Amino acid sequence: MRMKIPAHVAFIIDTLEKAGFEAYAVGGCVRDTILGRKPGDWDITTSATPKQVKQLFQRTVDTGIKHGTVTVLLKQCGYEVTTYRVDGEYEDGRHPKEVVFTASLTEDLKRRDFTINAMAYSPKTGIIDEFRGMEDLQKGIIRAVGEAKERFTEDALRILRAVRFSAQLGFVIEEKTGAAIREMAQRLSLISKERIQAELDKLLLSSHPEYLKRAWELGITAVIMPGFDRIMETPQRNRYHDLSVGEHTLKALQSVRADHLLRWTMLLHDFGKPQASIMDPDGTIHFYGHAKISAELAKGVIRGLKFDNATLDGVTKLVYYHDFPFPVSKAGVRKAMNRLGDELFPLLLEVCEADSRGKNSYAQETYLPKLVTIREYYRKIREAGDCTSLKDLAVNGRDLIEAGMKPGRELGAVLERCLEVVLDCPEKNTKEYLLEFAAESAE
Ligand code: ATP
Ligand code: MG
């Protein structure tokens, strides 16, 4: 079978072959090309040592030279070229503790995680498929290369990668591989948070974020995110819900666009419900104040996974306000825009919508029209250019000082009070009115 490969990749393979080495495109790029998906990157595996690779190409970077990886630069693109290797045990980082180079392509393919990731291709040989990766690709199966338990012992991250690939490709996990995952899931506690974060993020951003349920069934979330098990075990019985908190969360995840902040927010938005749950004598369950608790718990999860501050801040805020605790009025929407800021506010609307779509039809009939109204107010507020933040206020600190107020903390508080007035009545955003209001309010 001939496969279409980029000219740069063909050039690298050809150059290595002409110099007497073997070279193949390998792993994810072969898998994705066969599936008709666009590969994220093209990796090349070769019998040449890093030193030999560096001698053949003009521009190279020592990306992971100890592990056999050299990046070859062609125009603006970089291609990782890695020497055939056999891995020792993996340590915390992305790379195994020790690697041994080998002359055998088969040995290199054997160290790879799943059959669908263990195929190689060169225009000269066609596809090299020693572990029936093609068959699994056709059947839609994630199967470990060789003995699953051994492979998960070498590197426990593969346990999570199995679910990640199944979510990205819509594949099922083969039975023995699944059984080994169940048995070995606890070993994920040995893996660095950064590596877990990267795989979880890919899982959530995939076309099947709801496959997280597989991770729960296989005992994975119990190790890496026990809060998810709590929501799976928490029933909801009230006018708006007929699913458990966990099932509602999965439905909400499917209802939201594949965006990093949105998917993480939907995953975590109801993490506080197990704690907030109270039952009426008639069996109805309420979750008063759960958004605040969820925000605290979300913060813990995002921090624990070593995410960046933008993710921490964005997800925490969106979770905190996911119930839209503002009046459905223009003033309420201006207040919400102020609390969330220009970037997060439109995302909050998507969060609210996905949350509603995760509920029963009664809830959807109640909330979705409200959201239409909120969106309409939002459009009008932007059209009118209403002030929704301190920077748009008709007065600033300097104005107040010029009017005789003393600099200091009280000044900030007065500006905040001016803003609250303007959020309610945008027509009051004039210097004249606000200076008078500030003078009164400061007394
Ligand atoms: P994508 O880049 O789309 O996330 P990928 O399959 O390319 O998917 P990478 O993490 O880029 O995944 O790894 C490239 C290849 O290296 C894989 O296809 C697999 O053959 C091998 N590989 C990566 N990580 C591991 C691992 N932890 N254990 C075994 N093999 C691995
Ligand atoms: Mg890749």
Side-chain angles (χ1 to χ4, degrees), residues 198-345:
E199 292 299 327
L200 267 180
D201 201 50
K202 286 184 178 172
L203 196 171
L204 281 185
L205 284 168
S206 73
S207 46
H208 294 289
E210 75 282 8
Y211 277 36
L212 189 62
K213 187 171 178 177
R214 288 296 287 147
W216 169 69
E217 289 165 345
L218 291 167
I220 293 174
T221 54
V223 182
I224 60 171
M225 196 186 282
F228 187 74
D229 291 51
R230 297 290 86 73
I231 61 170
M232 287 305 288
E233 295 152 4
T234 303
Q236 308 193 86
R237 263 188 310 277
N238 56 43
R239 273 197 294 173
Y240 306 115
H241 284 283
D242 31 41
L243 299 173
S244 71
V245 178
E247 291 290 350
H248 154 70
T249 296
L250 294 170
K251 198 170 158 199
L253 266 172
Q254 279 175 277
S255 310
V256 88
R257 185 161 63 87
D259 167 85
H260 173 70
L261 288 182
L262 290 175
R263 289 274 165 97
W264 279 96
T265 299
M266 289 338 287
L267 171 63
L268 299 168
H269 78 286
D270 276 349
F271 261 42
K273 276 189 171 173
Q275 272 184 54
S277 169
I278 49 165
M279 203 195 293
D280 284 350
D282 71 354
T284 308
I285 303 176
H286 304 279
F287 303 98
Y288 301 119
H290 78 274
K292 225 172 162 173
I293 307 173
S294 296
E296 272 315 300
L297 294 175
K299 208 186 262 177
V301 171
I302 296 292
R303 271 215 186 105
L305 287 170
K306 311 272 165 101
F307 270 110
D308 52 288
N309 284 334
T311 304
L312 182 69
D313 180 60
V315 172
T316 310
K317 267 205 189 120
L318 288 168
V319 169
Y320 188 92
Y321 292 113
H322 81 264
D323 263 350
F324 203 83
F326 306 97
V328 180
S329 64
K330 274 186 160 182
V333 172
R334 281 190 291 265
K335 216 161 268 184
M337 289 168 68
N338 170 255
R339 301 297 187 264
L340 273 301
D342 292 345
E343 269 166 42
L344 291 181
F345 182 81

Side-chain angles (χ1 to χ4, degrees), residues 27-29 31-32 40-43 164 202:
C29 59
R31 175 199 69 219
D32 288 342
D41 40 33
W42 285 82
D43 296 323
R164 186 263 277 195
K202 286 184 178 172

Side-chain angles (χ1 to χ4, degrees), residues 27-29 31-32 40-41 43 90 111-113 117-118 155 157-158 161 164-165 168 195 199 202:
C29 59
R31 175 199 69 219
D32 288 342
D41 40 33
D43 296 323
Y90 276 61
R111 73 168 171 93
R112 294 173 187 272
D113 46 10
N117 288 346
D155 178 14
L157 187 70
R158 292 169 185 161
R161 281 171 64 88
R164 186 263 277 195
F165 286 117
Q168 284 181 323
R195 292 182 83 204
E199 292 299 327
K202 286 184 178 172

Side-chain angles (χ1 to χ4, degrees), residues 22-26 45-47 84-85 102-112 118-121 125 128-131:
E22 295 173 15
Y24 299 87
V26 70
T45 187
T46 180
S47 59
Y84 292 167
R85 64 180 209 214
T102 163
S104 149
L105 172 66
T106 306
E107 285 302 314
D108 182 86
L109 294 177
K110 243 196 230 169
R111 73 168 171 93
R112 294 173 187 272
M119 290 182 280
Y121 176 85
T125 60
I128 309 277
D129 174 19
E130 307 208 2
F131 307 98

Side-chain angles (χ1 to χ4, degrees), residues 71-84:
T71 298
V72 171
L73 297 171
L74 298 172
K75 297 256 170 68
Q76 307 303 330
C77 306
Y79 300 87
E80 289 197 354
V81 179
T82 304
T83 307
Y84 292 167

